[in-house]
């Protein structure tokens, strides 16, 4: 008898549990969505109205994420630092952010935090002017809240919030690298900072890359919260559309499909990256 | 001209004075005193937990002593981080578990500190790295990543990495104890060559063959103290302390 498995043998081996039914369902949803967007005028109208928010959603997420990575890296280094001030400051930041709902944080940072910051800069500028440093002081004291549009406040709010989440990811990544690596670097005469930068961080970041990417997907979704600041992202635009036309079904189906498209595509990219990383090990 | 420092007497490369290291209530070192002359090879032996690694790690201040002084080639190691980093470039260290950088190729492992610390150009660092890799016998592995090397090869890369910084002193902490028996020799041979070339070395190792053929002095440590300070000949033929005899009888049984 011939023992080499034929194609039909392998097909017979596939069982119901081996198929990603949930994924097929998502594909069906997309097919259905494409169908209605192509055939129904109501949906086309909603889509054309809401799509003007796509750029804002993507731009807000990308910029806020870039700032959050920088902030998170800094705070993550602080969490493992032996410097008492830096360490406690980072811990305080992370705990404060984690203890407050994101929606409240967004209101707080955009409508209280930023104005407080501006007042502080103004006071500092006025002080500089009073001690005779008018050249630097004058522009700082005249610096108004107008300088921060709601869009930029939304970005600041998202960055500060996600910075705390990313800090914990970076901390875990750094702590996953064995202590021998730091010792080897130090024994070669590299400083703590040099060893961190050239030896520890490249390995740590690689370990947490999937987690970082997942948080980007989460950020894209959470960027919908900035609609409470009247920033015209897809959530806000769909609310406006629904409010003025009373076509709630069209508005919210359209915006849901848009988010789903973004997150499903991004998640697939993350999975691809994870597989790549695993194969390189 | 008369030189008061007679050149026939080698200078002190390492001087340790009253070194104490306590971890909470664990007393790892209890007053260690030691002088190592230039070019000497010191082998340190002793039971587990006797403070051998701790002493070695205090020599380059990888571990900060609780009290006491460490002088490296006439410089007192202090609190200033910058001075410490500089001093550490003069003191190479080889670890039991190699501690190669897994994200860097063998060549990059050997060049990174040269570039970052010594400020050498890429070409210069590569030249020096290749010389050191030849010296330890694996220049052909330059582009390989550490995980694809055997333990013995990894340890030789680690030695090359330290040597590339042109250290005046090399510290070895049980460099062969994580290796399969058939790889121990290739690492010991590299160490023997180094010893012959006149490197000042402090080696924690229980390879008695190495102690016999390369060591100028042997230290036996117990409970955070140097209990016996002798020559290899003295150690094997005429150990003075009961603890030394007991320890030797245990490790020489095999
Ligand atoms: N980081 C640390 N924290 C707390 N205790 C430590 C630390 N490092 C070492 N010790 C303790 O100090 C003592 C000496 O340890 P050390 O590692 O120097 O011994 P050793 O002679 O190198 O032993 P081994 O042969 O097992 O390597 C031990 O009791 C050990 O438990
Ligand atoms: Mg040890």
């Amino acid at each position: 008898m011939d023992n080499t498995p034929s194609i039909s043998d392998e097909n017979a081996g596939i069982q119901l549990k081996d198929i990603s039914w949930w994924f097929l369902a998502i594909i069906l949803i997309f097919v259905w969505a494409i169908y209605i967007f192509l055939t129904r005028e109501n949906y086309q109208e909603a889509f054309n109205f809401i799509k003007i928010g796509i750029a804002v959603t993507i731009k807000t997420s990308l910029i806020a994420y870039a700032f959050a990575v920088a902030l998170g890296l800094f705070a993550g280094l602080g969490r493992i630092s032996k410097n008492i001030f830096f360490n406690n400051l980072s811990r305080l930041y992370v705990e404060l952010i984690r203890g407050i709902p994101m929606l409240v944080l967004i209101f707080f940072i955009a409508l209280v935090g930023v104005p407080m910051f501006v007042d502080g800069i103004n006071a500092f500028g006025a002080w500089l002017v009073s001690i005779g440093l008018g050249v630097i002081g004058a522009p700082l004291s005249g610096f108004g809240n107008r300088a921060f549009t709601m869009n930029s406040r939304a970005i600041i709010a998202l960055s500060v919030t996600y910075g705390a989440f990313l800090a914990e990811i970076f901390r875990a990544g750094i702590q996953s690298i064995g202590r021998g690596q730091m010792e080897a670097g130090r024994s070669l005469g590299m400083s703590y900072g040099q060893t961190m930068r050239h030896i520890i961080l490249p390995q740590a970041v690689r370990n947490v890359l999937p987690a970082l990417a997942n948080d980007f997907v989460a950020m894209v979704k959470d960027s919908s919260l900035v609609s409470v600041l009247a920033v015209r992202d897809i959530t806000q635009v769909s609310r406006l559309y629904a409010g003025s036309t009373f076509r709630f079904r069209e508005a919210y189906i359209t915006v849901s499909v848009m988010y789903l498209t973004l997150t499903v595509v991004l998640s697939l990219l993350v999975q691809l990256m994870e597989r790549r990383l695993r194969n390189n090990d | 001209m008369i030189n008061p420092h007679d050149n026939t007497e080698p200078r002190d490369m390492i001087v340790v004075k009253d070194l104490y290291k306590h971890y909470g209530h664990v007393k790892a070192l209890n007053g260690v005193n030691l002088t190592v002359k230039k070019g000497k090879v010191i082998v340190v032996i002793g039971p587990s937990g006797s403070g051998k690694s701790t002493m070695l790690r205090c020599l380059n201040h990888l571990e900060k002593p609780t009290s006491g002084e460490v002088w490296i080639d006439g410089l007192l190691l202090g609190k200033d981080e910058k001075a410490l980093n500089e001093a550490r470039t003069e003191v190479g260290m080889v670890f039991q578990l190699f501690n190669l950088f897994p994200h860097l190729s063998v060549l990059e492992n050997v060049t990174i500190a040269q570039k970052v610390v010594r400020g050498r150009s890429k070409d210069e660092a590569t030249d020096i790295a290749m010389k050191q890799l030849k010296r330890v016998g694996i220049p052909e592995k330059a582009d390989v990543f550490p995980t694809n090397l055997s333990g013995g090869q990894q340890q030789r890369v680690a030695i090359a990495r330290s040597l590339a910084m042109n250290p005046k002193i090399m510290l070895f902490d049980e460099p062969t104890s994580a290796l399969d028996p058939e790889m121990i020799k290739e690492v010991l041979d590299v160490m023997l060559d180094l010893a012959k070339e006149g490197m000042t070395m402090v080696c924690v190792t229980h390879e008695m063959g190495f102690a016999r053929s390369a060591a100028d002095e042997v230290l036996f440590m117990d409970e955070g103290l140097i209990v016996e300070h002798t020559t290899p000949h003295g150690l094997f033929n005429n150990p003075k302390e009961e603890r030394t005899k007991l320890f030797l009888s245990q490790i020489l049984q095999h």
Side-chain angles (χ1 to χ4, degrees):
Chain A
M1 271 252 174
D2 186 2
N3 273 334
T4 48
S6 69
I7 288 169
S8 62
D9 275 349
E10 278 183 351
N11 279 351
I14 289 182
Q15 294 180 350
L16 288 183
K17 68 175 169 58
D18 294 333
I19 296 172
S20 302
W21 295 106
W22 62 271
F23 193 70
L24 285 179
I26 286 180
I27 290 178
L28 270 181
I29 291 174
F30 282 135
V31 170
W32 170 77
I34 290 169
Y35 172 76
I36 58 168
F37 286 127
L38 288 177
T39 55
R40 305 261 195 94
E41 243 171 64
N42 280 357
Y43 282 90
Q44 284 169 6
E45 196 190 291
F47 182 88
N48 285 330
F49 192 89
I50 296 169
K51 77 176 182 202
I52 55 174
I54 292 177
V56 173
T57 290
I58 291 179
K59 216 171 86 186
T60 305
S61 308
L62 277 177
I63 300 175
Y65 190 74
F67 282 124
V69 165
L71 205 56
L73 182 56
F74 198 68
L77 286 170
R79 290 279 277 112
I80 54 150
S81 166
K82 289 210 176 80
N83 181 311
I84 298 172
F85 174 75
F86 190 26
N87 185 306
N88 280 283
L89 187 68
S90 306
R91 184 72 192 261
L92 176 68
Y93 165 53
V94 170
E95 296 300 334
L96 283 181
I97 299 293
R98 287 209 300 201
I100 302 172
M102 202 181 295
L103 185 58
V104 176
L105 273 173
I106 285 174
F107 279 127
F108 183 88
I109 294 168
L111 304 176
V112 183
V114 170
M116 267 166 56
F117 176 74
V118 169
D119 288 348
I121 297 267
N122 290 163
F124 180 64
W127 176 76
L128 283 179
V129 171
S130 76
I131 62 164
L133 286 170
V135 192
I136 316 169
L140 289 183
S141 64
F143 182 77
N145 273 315
R146 294 266 170 80
F148 291 98
T149 61
M150 272 302 161
N151 281 40
S152 52
R153 290 178 199 215
I155 288 170
I156 292 169
L158 277 178
S159 311
V160 171
T161 307
Y162 264 77
F165 303 159
L166 298 188
E168 290 301 278
I169 293 180
F170 280 117
R171 180 184 60 82
I174 292 167
Q175 285 177 339
S176 73
I177 306 301
R179 174 182 126 120
Q181 293 288 304
M182 179 54 84
E183 292 185 346
R186 300 308 302 274
S187 78
L188 290 165
M190 289 199 258
S191 67
Y192 178 85
Q194 287 169 333
T195 311
M196 206 30 109
R197 174 162 159 232
H198 297 284
I199 308 300
I200 310 290
L201 281 180
Q203 298 179 57
V205 168
R206 189 177 187 278
N207 287 353
V208 298
L209 220 45
L212 289 178
N214 278 328
D215 263 27
F216 179 65
V217 181
M219 161 96 80
V220 170
K221 287 185 292 173
D222 284 337
S223 73
S224 75
L225 290 172
V226 303
S227 61
V228 298
L229 302 176
V231 170
R232 290 174 165 246
D233 72 326
I234 51 178
T235 305
Q236 175 65 1
V237 180
S238 62
R239 276 172 64 194
L240 290 177
Y241 183 76
S244 61
T245 60
F246 298 105
R247 291 187 189 145
F248 294 102
R249 195 180 299 185
E250 287 85 343
Y252 293 120
I253 283 179
T254 304
V255 74
S256 298
V257 168
M258 283 179 180
Y259 278 117
L260 203 56
T261 310
L262 279 173
T263 53
V264 166
V265 169
L266 288 170
S267 300
L268 286 177
L269 289 177
V270 174
Q271 280 182 28
L272 212 72
M273 178 180 77
E274 272 181 54
R275 212 165 298 163
R276 270 271 185 87
L277 284 176
R278 228 176 299 137
N279 290 345
N280 284 351
D281 278 341
Chain B
M1 230 182 13
I2 298 160
N3 185 352
H5 305 288
D6 193 334
N7 281 335
T8 54
E9 173 70 4
R11 67 178 192 270
D12 294 343
M13 284 304 268
I14 305 173
V15 176
V16 177
K17 288 183 190 161
D18 286 325
L19 192 63
Y20 287 80
K21 177 69 193 185
H22 296 173
Y23 296 104
H25 58 272
V26 178
K27 299 185 161 119
L29 293 178
N30 283 313
V32 168
N33 286 285
L34 176 68
T35 300
V36 181
K37 298 273 180 198
K38 187 171 191 297
K40 294 292 180 206
V41 176
I42 314 294
V43 161
V44 183
I45 61 173
S48 180
S50 57
K52 306 178 299 292
S53 298
T54 306
M55 181 184 75
L56 217 58
R57 296 152 58 79
C58 282
L59 291 183
N60 63 358
H61 271 36
L62 219 48
E63 210 71 74
K64 300 269 186 297
T66 307
S67 68
E69 294 178 357
V70 176
W71 297 73
I72 297 294
D73 198 16
L75 277 174
L76 176 64
L77 301 190
K79 288 212 156 51
D80 180 41
E81 276 295 316
K82 243 181 142 181
L84 269 183
N85 291 336
E86 242 159 75
R88 286 200 191 99
T89 62
E90 311 290 351
V91 186
M93 189 163 202
V94 175
F95 303 86
Q96 185 174 359
L97 296 175
F98 331 132
N99 294 347
L100 290 183
F101 307 133
H103 64 301
L104 300 176
S105 71
V106 163
L107 183 65
E108 289 164 332
N109 262 274
V110 187
T111 54
I112 179 94
Q114 294 190 62
K115 291 189 279 196
V116 172
V117 180
R118 292 272 195 232
R120 290 176 187 155
S121 71
K122 190 173 176 224
D123 288 346
E124 191 188 3
T126 303
D127 271 359
I128 293 171
M130 289 313 296
K131 259 184 218 126
Q132 295 303 343
L133 286 174
K134 274 193 198 106
R135 178 181 192 167
V136 301
I138 36 176
E140 74 280 3
K141 299 287 184 191
D143 296 322
V144 171
F145 280 81
T147 38
N148 298 323
L149 297 180
S150 71
Q153 292 171 327
Q154 290 193 46
Q155 193 60 296
R156 284 187 283 154
V157 172
I159 294 172
R161 177 174 73 177
S162 284
L163 291 176
M165 301 299 285
N166 312 108
K168 295 175 182 159
I169 298 165
M170 286 289 287
L171 309 175
F172 293 84
D173 193 358
E174 308 206 31
T176 58
S177 59
L179 297 177
D180 293 336
E182 70 271 19
M183 293 170 189
I184 291 178
K185 188 175 173 301
E186 65 190 54
V187 171
L188 288 180
D189 283 347
V190 170
M191 292 170 64
L192 277 171
D193 283 347
L194 258 183
K196 271 190 214 127
E197 288 163 28
M199 177 64 79
T200 309
M201 295 163 64
V202 181
C203 317
V204 176
T205 179
H206 292 144
E207 293 296 329
M208 286 304 133
F210 178 78
R212 210 185 297 266
S213 53
D216 296 295
E217 298 166 30
V218 179
L219 308 179
F220 175 73
M221 287 188 73
D222 198 15
E223 293 178 353
L225 278 170
I226 296 175
V227 174
E228 189 152 357
H229 188 161
T230 177
T231 59
H233 186 268
L235 179 79
F236 293 117
N237 299 304
N238 186 22
K240 298 216 168 41
E241 298 285 330
E242 275 314 310
R243 282 186 279 184
T244 318
K245 287 178 200 164
L246 183 68
F247 180 74
L248 278 178
S249 72
Q250 280 164 357
I251 62 165
L252 292 179
Q253 266 169 13
H254 310 293

